[in-house]
Amino acid sequence: MRQFIRYLIVLFLLLVFCSCQAGELERLGASCRLSSDTVPDVRFRSQPVPEAVATGIRDMSSPGAYLAVYWVESRFGELDCKVSLQEALQLQRKWEKTDEWNDYLSACQSIWDDLTYFPVAGSGGNCSVSFEDSWMYERTYKGERGHEGTDIMPDENKRGVFPVVSMTDGVVENIGWLELGGFRVGIRAPHGAYFYYAHLDSYADITKGCEIKAGDLLGFMGDTGYGTEEGTRGKFPVHLHVGIYIDYNDSEISVNPYPALKYLESKRLDFKTG
């Protein structure tokens, strides 16, 4: 009898130990996936959003938290992981135990939760455009570098025709000439991301420091840039370069705009001219 009681005590202690270790293993597993290096990592910066997930988030007004959970659960798309919105809310409690969760969540929300409109408006049903995932494709003007954005190409190579609108609310943080970007506008959105629109042909009536609402006209698509002389044109076809940047641990990090643009593709304004 005493031996049986000892057995029960040992079994009880073993169960307690295992339950404690399971919590510790869960915590360590979360720490392995989320660290201070997660956001600067190329897997996060590439913003992997498969079509099934993209379809699911199109009706979400604030998809940042959902994507934050989906990415860590799927190891940024390495695992075939299906996470419903309800499951994401439950799983978030697990990841909240990780020290880096709040900073990681803020980074996800800064990119996704201010998105409202596709950056090229239609004009009376016209202005067809196309774009592909050209993230980090090679560029060679004044030295090799990776392409930190997505180029939106019009169906007609005409400057000053295609209206460029703000994807988000925000404040005009930069405007004017850049050698690479030509006439560009930089908008700081409410959650902190910086949205960069380059190669404009002309500007709307906007100035540095003015407040912008999503859908406000920024200017018209052009082919400016690749020149030290302001107004240089004709070095490449007419297009809009869109970049998205976030500030993280005192560093500016570029992320792939392609998934965000696919998310906004059906949210396009019809801009009336004249």
Side-chain angles (χ1 to χ4, degrees):
M1 186 67 177
R2 290 179 179 176
Q3 187 174 356
F4 180 69
I5 293 174
R6 288 195 195 98
Y7 172 76
L8 289 178
I9 292 173
V10 170
L11 181 61
F12 173 75
L13 291 174
L14 184 62
L15 288 172
V16 170
F17 175 77
C18 288
S19 64
C20 292
Q21 287 301 105
E24 180 65 10
L25 287 173
E26 181 180 324
R27 187 188 69 78
L28 290 173
S31 297
C32 288
R33 295 198 205 177
L34 273 181
S35 71
S36 59
D37 295 327
T38 299
V39 172
D41 189 273
V42 68
R43 293 180 305 169
F44 175 83
R45 294 177 63 211
S46 64
Q47 298 283 289
V49 181
E51 184 56 36
V53 174
T55 300
I57 65 174
R58 283 195 180 109
D59 293 329
M60 296 182 188
S61 59
S62 303
Y66 172 84
L67 287 171
V69 173
Y70 164 74
W71 280 326
V72 290
E73 285 291 320
S74 68
R75 289 192 176 95
F76 292 94
E78 289 180 5
L79 304 177
D80 184 15
C81 178
K82 296 178 176 63
V83 180
S84 69
L85 179 58
Q86 186 174 3
E87 289 170 332
L89 294 174
Q90 295 171 346
L91 289 167
Q92 182 170 328
R93 298 191 188 106
K94 174 181 73 175
W95 295 105
E96 284 172 347
K97 299 174 184 176
T98 307
D99 293 339
E100 286 77 20
W101 170 257
N102 287 335
D103 287 342
Y104 166 72
L105 176 63
S106 295
C108 295
Q109 291 175 325
S110 71
I111 298 163
W112 287 91
D113 284 1
D114 293 317
L115 298 173
T116 305
Y117 293 118
F118 190 75
V120 181
S123 182
N126 299 319
C127 294
S128 296
V129 297
S130 61
F131 59 99
E132 62 181 28
D133 190 352
S134 59
W135 175 246
M136 287 298 162
Y137 280 22
E138 185 178 292
R139 294 292 187 268
T140 56
Y141 176 77
K142 289 201 169 179
E144 294 184 0
R145 66 187 188 283
H147 185 229
E148 293 187 345
T150 297
D151 291 335
I152 301 177
M153 311 300 297
D155 61 352
E156 293 184 88
N157 189 39
K158 292 183 178 180
R159 60 176 72 114
V161 173
F162 292 75
V164 175
V165 300
S166 181
M167 299 157 67
T168 69
D169 293 348
V171 175
V172 177
E173 192 167 287
N174 288 298
I175 186 170
W177 182 261
L178 283 180
E179 181 178 353
L180 287 177
F183 292 123
R184 84 355 180 147
V185 180
I187 307 290
R188 185 69 64 179
H191 281 84
Y194 181 77
F195 291 81
Y196 173 77
Y197 309 82
H199 309 310
L200 300 181
D201 183 65
S202 60
Y203 293 116
D205 186 17
I206 56 175
T207 57
K208 185 175 180 178
C210 72
E211 293 187 2
I212 294 289
K213 291 296 183 184
D216 281 355
L217 180 68
L218 301 179
F220 289 86
M221 193 186 296
D223 57 349
T224 59
Y226 281 21
T228 55
E229 183 179 346
E230 183 172 323
T232 299
R233 289 173 167 82
K235 300 293 186 179
F236 42 74
V238 170
H239 70 280
L240 174 68
H241 171 100
V242 175
I244 302 177
Y245 298 82
I246 60 174
D247 292 329
Y248 186 77
N249 287 348
D250 299 321
S251 297
E252 185 180 72
I253 299 169
S254 64
V255 299
N256 187 0
Y258 178 80
L261 291 170
K262 291 296 289 183
Y263 167 75
L264 292 173
E265 199 169 19
S266 61
K267 304 172 189 288
R268 193 171 174 193
L269 289 174
D270 186 18
F271 182 81
K272 304 295 184 182
T273 56

